[in-house]
Amino acid sequence: MNPEEFKAELERRGLPITDDKMTQYKLYLELLQEWNQKINLTAITEQEEVYLKHFYDSLTAGLYVDFSKGVHSLCDVGSGAGFPSIPLKILYPDLKVTIVDSLKKRISFLEIVMDKLNLSDVTLLHDRAETFGQNKTYRATYDFVTARAVARMSVLAELCLPLLKKDGVFIAMKAAHAPEEMKEANKAITTLGGKFREDFSFELPKAAGERHIILIDKKKETPNKYPRKPGTPNKQPL
């Protein structure tokens, strides 16, 4: 997917792309390619692959969740090189974004991205998701929490649901194995105060693979003991 195809597809789907935003995506790509030679950010670096499998893939969340009405806060857990939150922030400039990642080098890269793309209202935090979820400053404060290809759903639920305010939405972006993961995760989601809403399944353009966007509503407060200590959710999923 070249930049022209990327823009045309967003326009076709009714997403709010402009020439200025296209310039920001181009600069983001250049920074990603430059910095990936210094630190390992992503295995996907070719222009057409980045536009399809990073930028467009990240923005598919906007097809199923309306980010355009009002000012919303979004926390991206384990965002790596900034996906999906930075592509979403470019498309929806009013989003208030918090990015949490456990690797300082990735946070340093994102600081450069923020500066060069002139993005405001983005908070970058170097922390483990388990520790962050117990921080009273951030716990139960977000309208949306996103995670893309970070961990199994049973683990993700424990990392992400504590961060949502009541009636907030957890947006899990998954690949083809999502239905099996959901079967394992039902108990965890309920225990953590969530309720499954819908699993949107679709194919990326150019036969680039099956994707799922799973929406989970936060219906009750998460019990204080979750998330557990770093490493525990992965070793002993609920």
Side-chain angles (χ1 to χ4, degrees):
M1 178 180 274
N2 63 35
E4 293 75 23
E5 292 170 324
F6 171 74
K7 186 181 182 190
E9 184 65 18
L10 295 186
E11 288 173 340
R12 187 181 78 79
R13 301 302 297 267
L15 295 178
I17 191 63
T18 64
D19 288 342
D20 286 345
K21 292 173 186 178
M22 286 299 296
T23 301
Q24 287 178 298
Y25 286 119
K26 179 175 183 288
L27 186 50
Y28 189 12
L29 168 70
E30 290 167 356
L31 289 168
L32 189 67
Q33 290 172 329
E34 176 190 346
W35 281 87
N36 205 61
Q37 295 173 6
K38 304 172 190 178
I39 57 175
N40 182 26
L41 294 166
T42 174
I44 297 170
T45 56
E46 294 298 318
Q47 174 184 275
E48 298 210 350
E49 294 274 286
V50 171
Y51 272 91
L52 176 56
K53 294 182 180 177
H54 279 330
F55 295 171
Y56 182 80
D57 187 36
S58 294
L59 295 175
T60 56
L63 299 173
Y64 305 103
V65 176
D66 189 354
F67 295 109
S68 63
K69 290 180 181 173
V71 177
H72 297 294
S73 56
L74 179 146
C75 183
D76 189 5
V77 174
S79 105
F83 306 115
S85 52
I86 300 304
L88 286 169
K89 173 67 179 175
I90 293 170
L91 201 66
Y92 304 100
D94 289 338
L95 268 182
K96 293 180 181 294
V97 171
T98 300
I99 293 175
V100 187
D101 200 272
S102 61
L103 197 64
K104 185 68 172 75
K105 288 179 180 177
R106 287 196 288 253
I107 294 294
S108 298
F109 164 71
L110 291 171
E111 286 171 348
I112 291 161
V113 172
M114 298 304 100
D115 181 52
K116 299 290 187 186
L117 272 60
N118 198 26
L119 298 175
S120 58
D121 272 336
V122 179
T123 303
L124 303 172
L125 295 161
H126 173 226
D127 202 351
R128 291 285 298 262
E130 297 95 329
T131 315
F132 185 73
Q134 288 290 358
N135 187 323
K136 288 184 172 58
T137 304
Y138 304 105
R139 184 182 176 92
T141 60
Y142 295 99
D143 298 306
F144 301 111
V145 176
T146 58
R148 178 176 173 261
V150 175
R152 305 193 303 285
M153 274 299 298
S154 53
V155 178
L156 276 186
E158 184 167 351
L159 302 180
C160 295
L161 282 167
L163 295 167
L164 281 168
K165 62 175 68 166
K166 201 173 170 191
D167 297 323
V169 183
F170 170 33
I171 306 164
M173 307 182 74
K174 307 294 288 184
H177 45 76
E180 293 77 37
E181 288 190 27
M182 279 304 298
K183 288 176 189 171
E184 297 172 3
N186 282 328
K187 180 191 170 192
I189 290 166
T190 304
T191 301
L192 296 156
K195 184 180 180 184
F196 170 76
R197 186 201 302 180
E198 196 156 357
D199 175 359
F200 296 99
S201 172
F202 58 95
E203 292 282 333
L204 283 177
K206 299 183 177 288
E210 181 182 338
R211 293 290 186 270
H212 291 256
I213 289 181
I214 299 168
L215 302 183
I216 296 168
D217 296 309
K218 175 84 170 273
K219 292 298 186 183
K220 298 176 184 174
E221 295 301 333
T222 302
N224 289 333
K225 64 180 178 180
Y226 302 111
R228 291 165 291 169
K229 291 180 181 178
T232 305
N234 214 26
K235 290 176 190 165
Q236 301 169 22
L238 290 172

